[in-house]
Amino acid sequence: MRKIIPMLTIICLLMAAPLFAANLTLPPELGATARILKTERDGLWEKSLIVQLPERRHLLSTSDGIINGLGAINHSAHPLLWKKLAVELATKLQCGGKTYEQQRKGMIANKLGLQPADLTLVGTAADMDNLAVVTKQFPPFTVTALVTAGAKSNALRAGVDEGTNIEPSDPPAGTINIIVLTNARLTDGALARAVVTITEAKTTALEDLKVTSSYTKGVQATGTGTDSVIVVSGTTGPKVTYSGGHSRIGDLIAKAVHQAVLEALEKQNGFKLKKKP
C-alpha cells in the first residue's frame, strides 16, 4: 500500500539539492565535527551549521531542553524566507516557521542517518557566513563557542521592554544563537548553570558595543527577543558540577562567548568596539 504524504509536508519540504557543504575545524579534544550545509528554497538561501557527535551526549537546548543527543544545528535562512513563512502561517496557506524548522531538522537527520529526536535545532535570519568561532583552553579544559548574531532590529532590555505574545509569531529578524562545546563532562546542573554564564557573557558583549534596545530609545540592550543557546557536554575531560564565573570552565565559557558575540555582531551588523582615547 502506497504511503500518502500530506500536501502540507510536501509544500514545506520543497527545496533544492544541497549546493555546498563547508567543513569547519574544531579542536580534537571536543570529539565533534562541524560543517555548513547550504541549500535554496524558493530561490532564497538556507544555511545550516551542523555539529555532529560520534556518540550520545547530554545537550541542553533552549529549543528542546536536555536531550541525550547526537548533534546540534543552528539553521539560518534568508530574512525574506522567514517573512514569507510568517505570512504563510498567518494566511494558513503553508507551514509557517516552526513547522519549517522541524522539516529542516528532519531533512538533516535523514541525511545523517539519524532520527529527528537525536538532534536539536535553533533558527536565525543572521547569515551563517558571519559565523564566529572562538576557542579558549586552559588544560585540561577546552571550550569552543560558535555564534551567529544580529541585533539591529530585535534588541531588547529584559525587565524593561514589554512582551505581548504567548508564543513567538514574528520571524527571527534579530537573533543571537550560541552553541558551546566543551570536553568537560558537565552534569545536568552544570549544563543549566552554563546557560547563565553564557547569557552574562552575551550581555557584556552587547554592553561593550553599546547596543541599545530596538523598543525603548536610549536604553542598553541585554539580548534580543529570540536568542537561543545550546550547550554540549564532553566525554573525555574532567567531571564538572558547577560552571559559574568562579570556576575555570565558567571563565573559559564566558571569554569564548564574549569574544564570539563581539565578532559575530561586527560581521553581521557592523557593530565595533569604540577605541579608548
Side-chain angles (χ1 to χ4, degrees):
M1 183 176 180
R2 295 179 62 186
K3 184 177 181 181
I4 299 175
I5 302 176
M7 182 58 66
L8 179 67
T9 302
I10 294 174
I11 293 173
C12 290
L13 284 173
L14 284 177
M15 60 179 70
L19 296 177
F20 180 70
N23 293 324
L24 303 177
T25 301
L26 297 177
E29 298 92 331
L30 299 178
T33 59
R35 54 181 167 165
I36 297 173
L37 177 69
K38 299 186 179 183
T39 57
E40 284 187 358
R41 184 182 189 273
D42 299 335
L44 300 171
W45 56 258
E46 305 169 298
K47 304 171 187 178
S48 296
L49 167 65
I50 305 168
V51 176
Q52 191 170 2
L53 309 170
E55 70 286 301
R56 292 192 180 277
R57 300 183 195 174
H58 270 194
L59 293 79
L60 190 152
S61 165
T62 51
S63 291
D64 299 298
I66 293 180
I67 67 169
N68 195 28
L70 290 167
I73 303 164
N74 182 7
H75 175 61
S76 68
H78 194 289
L80 292 179
L81 179 53
W82 287 111
K83 289 181 180 179
K84 182 176 180 181
L85 291 165
V87 171
E88 291 169 353
L89 178 62
T91 56
K92 302 186 185 304
L93 291 177
Q94 293 188 18
C95 59
K98 283 294 183 182
T99 303
Y100 164 68
E101 288 182 351
Q102 292 303 311
Q103 295 294 345
R104 183 73 177 184
K105 183 166 72 169
M107 182 274 287
I108 293 173
N110 183 65
K111 181 178 179 63
L112 299 178
L114 304 174
Q115 296 298 316
D118 295 327
L119 305 171
T120 185
L121 179 147
V122 294
T124 182
D127 195 329
M128 196 58 63
D129 289 354
N130 295 326
L131 174 72
V133 182
V134 175
T135 294
K136 298 294 182 181
Q137 294 177 305
F138 190 99
F141 295 117
T142 297
V143 171
T144 295
L146 303 100
V147 176
T148 54
K152 271 197 170 179
S153 60
N154 191 27
L156 59 74
R157 183 172 182 81
V160 174
D161 295 325
E162 185 179 11
T164 58
N165 299 314
I166 295 175
E167 290 286 343
S169 58
D170 297 324
T175 296
I176 301 173
N177 281 350
I178 300 169
I179 297 178
V180 169
L181 303 165
T182 179
N183 67 326
R185 294 177 291 121
L186 302 178
T187 63
D188 289 354
L191 284 171
R193 186 59 180 81
V195 175
V196 177
T197 302
I198 289 165
T199 303
E200 291 173 343
K202 173 194 70 178
T203 299
T204 58
L206 291 168
E207 290 177 344
D208 290 345
L209 293 170
K210 301 189 184 320
V211 178
T212 57
S213 168
S214 303
Y215 306 94
T216 304
K217 186 176 180 179
V219 172
Q220 172 66 51
T222 56
T224 85
T226 49
D227 293 349
S228 292
V229 172
I230 299 173
V231 188
V232 183
S233 178
T235 59
T236 60
K239 181 179 178 181
V240 170
T241 62
Y242 173 73
S243 53
H246 290 302
S247 67
R248 179 60 68 183
I249 190 70
D251 175 53
L252 295 175
I253 289 171
K255 287 177 177 174
V257 169
H258 180 264
Q259 182 179 333
V261 172
L262 290 177
E263 291 181 10
L265 283 172
E266 180 174 357
K267 289 179 179 180
Q268 180 70 31
N269 294 147
F271 290 115
K272 293 184 179 181
L273 289 172
K274 292 184 179 180
K275 295 182 180 179
K276 295 181 179 180

